[in-house]
Structure formats: C-alpha cells, structure tokens
Amino acid sequence: MNAPSTITGNGSPRHMRCLDAICGRPFDRAPTYMPAIACSVASLILGRPAYTGTHSLHYAEVLARWNGEAAHAEFEAQLHEDMLAIHRALDIDVCRFPWRMNVKPFAHPDENTFLIGDPRGDWEVWKYVPSSVSFGMVEQHRSAPPADDDLRREVENMEAYLAEISTTPALFSSDHLESVKRLNEEFFVPFNGGSIAVALDEENLMAMLLEPDLVRRKLMVQCGIGIRWAEALAASTLPKVMLGGGDMADNRGPVYSVTCFQEIVMPAYHRLLDRCAGLGFARVLHHGQP
C-alpha cells in the first residue's frame, strides 16, 4: 500500500475513518471492510432474498442476462439496494462493489447449466451447484488446440487495448458511476481497477520459467492499464483510492516462488504504486478477490 497523507474524502465519519487509517493518522476505531458477502448469508441476515456477492451472485446475474434486458435491469437495481441494506445492517464502513460476471450465455439447457462463449468457436459449460452454492466452469470446448503463441497474441491484444485507452478521455462506465453515486455518500467506495497478476493456469505458470521476459512484458502492460485508470481516477471526482492485486496462492499455499515474484511480478507493482503516489492517492494491494 502506498498512501500519501493528503488524500481527502467527503467529510463523513466513515470516509474520515477509512482515510485516516490508510494515511496513518489517528482514527476513532478500525474501519470495517468485508470484501464479499455471499447472497445466502446476506439473505439470512436481511430476512429476504438478496444479491450481494460471490458465486451465487454470478449465477444470478448470468440467469438475469439470459432472461433479457428488463430482467437484468431489475437485477442491477436490487443489487444496489441489497448492497446498501447489508452494509447498513452490519455497520460496514467500506462498500466494495462485488466482482460481477457480465456475460450472456448462448444456451441454458437446464436450471443450473449455461453455455458461455462462441458456439462456433471456443465455449464453456458453467454449472451452478446449490448444495455448495458454487458456480464455475466444468467443461471447456476449443475450436482448435492451444497454440504455442497464444500467450504472445494475448499480450499483443492487451498492448493494443492499452494504446486505445491511452487516448480515451473518460474510462469509467455509467454502471460504475451510478454505483458510486448511490453508495459513496454513505459508505467509503474504493475503485476496483488495474489488477496485476499472473494467471494461475498451466500455460502462464510454465511461461514464468520458460519465457519470463514475455510474462514480465504482460505484467507491464497490466501496469500500464492500471496507470491509465489511475490517471483517470485522479482527474475525476471519485474517491482517490484504488484496489488491485491478484491471486498468488490457492488452498495449498503459494503457486510460484518468491524469486519469480521478486524478479517478474514486483517491478510492475513498484511502477504502478509509484505512479499512484505521484498522483496523490492510495493504491491498496488486495489479493484473493472473491
């Protein structure tokens, strides 16, 4: 975390408590923050069905998108209201909008199964399991076997995206602005954007050993995208705190070595943190985002 002492909020008790803690100033009590609250847990607390986060939220959103624009608009309206309600009920200071699943399936063969992707190309089978409240990919179908240069093409596409947004005056979506408008007056709402992480799949992990320069290049592109978001945030009226990071471990422990982190990952973190500090706001590294 890199936090200049000059960051300011809207003057509300929750804002001041959070900013005082981030900037190393005295505060009345430790700010409360819950990265994600499962819909099932929120529903029990509120005494009604609620949309708040984790896999059950992803399933609900994919289902809403399948049911059409009106159903998805209703879903989004309830999501905002439920986020307000659960944070009020638990007296939580930081309201971090949940990780969303903004994809529309092309098929819905049964109540808990969706087909997502391009039916003429690469697509996946996603399944919801009510007993474990989990929603994830169970099958992957590719139109062609993975090519040796898939990662390189991915990096080149990311570089093209970075070049495109480097000349974009307004990066923030209307959805994010509406979320901040509804939630930020009462709660402290940081911005989620510009994560830096190595994907925890076989291709990317092997590339850390076999093509470290390519992985370092990919992370620097991620860093460049994060810097562009940071510059847009600094020029906006949004709260000047940005969350970011990426998974480095699973239930068994770290998935790559400290040496790989220091030599491949850390330079991108340093560059982004330095730029955020230069812009006068905080970048909080947050790992394991549900």
Side-chain angles (χ1 to χ4, degrees):
M1 180 177 70
N2 198 332
S5 60
T6 55
I7 305 171
T8 59
N10 66 5
S12 70
R14 292 192 191 278
H15 272 239
M16 296 313 300
R17 182 179 297 130
C18 293
L19 292 174
D20 286 343
I22 290 171
C23 296
R25 301 187 293 256
F27 48 86
D28 59 342
R29 67 168 172 83
T32 50
Y33 168 48
M34 187 69 65
I37 302 170
C39 299
S40 56
V41 174
S43 298
L44 287 173
I45 293 171
L46 297 176
R48 59 172 175 79
Y51 296 144
T52 51
T54 70
H55 288 191
S56 52
L57 179 72
H58 303 165
Y59 168 73
E61 180 153 24
V62 171
L63 179 61
R65 286 190 176 276
W66 171 261
N67 288 331
E69 292 184 6
H72 189 253
E74 182 178 343
F75 163 86
E76 287 204 312
Q78 183 181 341
L79 173 60
H80 281 97
E81 293 305 313
D82 292 345
M83 289 293 290
L84 282 169
I86 194 62
H87 281 72
R88 286 169 179 162
L90 298 176
D91 190 24
I92 297 175
D93 295 308
V94 180
C95 187
R96 174 178 178 263
F97 217 63
W99 172 28
R100 304 275 296 276
M101 190 162 179
N102 296 316
V103 297
K104 183 175 181 178
F106 66 84
H108 182 29
D110 62 55
E111 180 181 2
N112 297 320
T113 306
F114 297 93
L115 307 186
I116 296 172
D118 181 357
R120 296 166 297 181
D122 298 340
W123 56 278
E124 300 167 349
V125 179
W126 283 66
K127 187 173 286 291
Y128 179 65
V129 182
S131 61
S132 60
V133 198
S134 61
F135 182 53
M137 182 185 70
V138 294
E139 294 179 29
Q140 187 176 37
H141 298 262
R142 296 186 61 124
S143 57
D148 293 339
D149 60 348
D150 277 357
L151 181 57
R152 190 172 302 277
R153 286 203 305 271
E154 178 189 359
V155 174
E156 290 171 352
N157 290 336
M158 291 172 60
E159 289 172 335
Y161 172 71
L162 175 57
E164 178 184 343
I165 66 171
S166 294
T167 58
T168 303
L171 290 174
F172 302 106
S173 69
S174 58
D175 289 345
H176 176 72
L177 294 175
E178 182 64 22
S179 300
V180 172
K181 178 181 176 181
R182 293 190 184 198
L183 304 172
N184 191 61
E185 184 175 344
E186 185 172 351
F187 300 97
F188 185 79
V189 182
F191 175 70
N192 296 307
S195 291
I196 296 174
V198 177
L200 304 186
D201 56 50
E202 181 178 354
E203 181 183 14
N204 280 271
L205 293 175
M206 287 297 294
M208 292 184 81
L209 298 176
L210 301 177
E211 297 186 88
D213 289 341
L214 181 59
V215 178
R216 195 177 292 111
R217 175 180 160 192
K218 177 180 177 179
L219 296 177
M220 279 300 180
V221 178
Q222 292 179 355
C223 171
I225 294 171
I227 287 175
R228 182 65 190 94
W229 281 109
E231 291 169 345
L233 184 63
S236 75
T237 59
L238 304 179
K240 303 301 187 287
V241 173
M242 185 164 70
L243 293 180
D247 291 340
M248 301 176 180
D250 57 22
N251 293 338
R252 297 164 294 181
V255 296
Y256 53 81
S257 69
V258 172
T259 299
C260 283
F261 176 77
Q262 290 176 332
E263 295 182 356
I264 299 174
V265 183
M266 185 62 81
Y269 276 149
H270 274 304
R271 182 180 173 195
L272 180 54
L273 289 169
D274 288 347
R275 181 58 179 144
C276 288
L279 291 167
F281 68 92
R283 167 79 173 182
V284 181
L285 298 181
H286 180 286
H287 296 277
Q289 302 175 33

